[in-house]
Amino acid sequence: MLCVALLRPAAAIPVPQEEPVKPENGEAQKTAAKKTRITAHFTVSAEGKSTLPPGSKIELKGDAASCKNLLRPPQHLGPEGATFPDLPLCRVKLWIYITGFETKIVSVDLAKYKDPMRILVKSKGPPVVDTSYP
């Protein structure tokens, strides 16, 4: 009993606690911004074609609900594909213009993006987006 009585006052003595180190406001904002923006690389192939015809292009526009003000100018589609830097993680529409094919539009969610995103454009029907690549 005496031991318990002697330990009780020690437990009541306040011990100063160190405050956690907080990053500066600018650093926190930069880290958050990096997590919400990506560089997206798209490779496009056309059904029945070994290479894309000259003049083939891809354009990126924001989805009306999640990033309606996002618009990137068309880029040439070569064997290496096309890259769009500094994109927010939202749904976008890709407008694919391949000479000899109808214009194709495909909606993709950049929050689920895996590099590179591969798209197969069919002569009939919607494009096929392959997101299974690591």
Side-chain angles (χ1 to χ4, degrees):
M1 186 83 145
L2 183 61
C3 291
V4 174
L6 291 175
L7 291 176
R8 204 148 190 44
I13 298 172
V15 177
Q17 294 181 353
E18 293 182 26
E19 289 188 34
V21 178
K22 296 179 182 178
E24 291 183 23
N25 206 13
E27 285 181 40
Q29 289 175 351
K30 287 177 188 175
T31 303
K34 285 181 184 177
K35 292 180 183 178
T36 60
R37 302 192 79 75
I38 64 166
T39 295
H41 181 76
F42 300 97
T43 59
V44 179
S45 58
E47 185 178 56
K49 305 274 184 187
S50 58
T51 60
L52 292 176
S56 298
K57 295 183 180 191
I58 186 169
E59 184 176 1
L60 186 141
K61 297 179 182 180
D63 184 85
S66 61
C67 11
K68 60 184 174 186
N69 296 327
L70 180 67
L71 175 64
R72 295 293 192 269
Q75 288 192 18
H76 171 73
L77 274 174
E80 68 286 342
T83 301
F84 293 94
D86 195 36
L87 297 175
L89 295 178
C90 62
R91 291 194 67 79
V92 296
K93 289 185 179 180
L94 299 171
W95 296 66
I96 304 169
Y97 309 101
I98 297 177
T99 306
F101 285 73
E102 291 180 13
T103 298
K104 302 291 181 170
I105 302 170
V106 64
S107 182
V108 296
D109 187 351
L110 294 179
K112 298 177 183 176
Y113 172 79
K114 292 192 171 73
D115 190 47
M117 187 171 283
R118 298 173 188 216
I119 302 168
L120 170 64
V121 175
K122 297 180 175 185
S123 56
K124 299 217 187 260
V128 176
V129 178
D130 187 354
T131 58
S132 64
Y133 290 68

